[in-house]
Amino acid sequence: MKMRVLGIQMQDYVSKKSNQPVKGVSLYCAFKDPQVDGEAVDNVFISERLDCYRTLCHVKPGDRVNVEYGRRGFIVDAEILPPSPGPEKGK
């Protein structure tokens, strides 16, 4: 799913529920949804356990990302997309 990053929050804490450390990055993103007039928004958590974590730590607001979900709805991969080509300047 292609999304536009609006904000980033690094996460590093111990879960009160499981008493296990949680480390990763939360991406606050906007994306197109046919059931929404305009854009929908969601929080996407990328765990440090995923291979894509190191890459996603360098994402900035305004970047576009592609998030891949597995058949059970969990994130299995994500990547930063190249900037979309804008209109040519000076024309």
Side-chain angles (χ1 to χ4, degrees):
M1 172 184 290
K2 293 180 181 169
M3 303 177 173
R4 182 171 43 90
V5 177
L6 303 174
I8 300 109
Q9 182 179 22
M10 300 306 289
Q11 302 286 342
D12 190 0
Y13 63 93
V14 175
S15 170
K16 291 179 184 176
K17 193 176 192 180
S18 67
N19 205 32
Q20 296 295 314
V22 176
K23 188 171 181 181
V25 60
S26 287
L27 305 178
Y28 298 91
C29 300
F31 57 94
K32 294 288 184 189
D33 183 328
Q35 298 176 346
V36 175
D37 185 16
E39 290 183 301
V41 294
D42 200 2
N43 173 6
V44 177
F45 179 73
I46 306 293
S47 171
E48 74 169 348
R49 297 177 188 164
L50 291 174
D51 292 338
C52 62
Y53 171 74
R54 287 187 177 201
T55 302
L56 272 289
C57 283
H58 301 290
V59 72
K60 300 179 289 306
D63 285 349
R64 294 180 327 118
V65 295
N66 186 35
V67 179
E68 184 180 331
Y69 293 88
R71 64 175 220 205
R72 294 189 178 174
F74 295 103
I75 295 172
V76 295
D77 197 15
E79 65 179 334
I80 301 173
L81 297 172
S84 53
E88 292 184 42
K89 295 182 180 180
K91 292 196 174 191

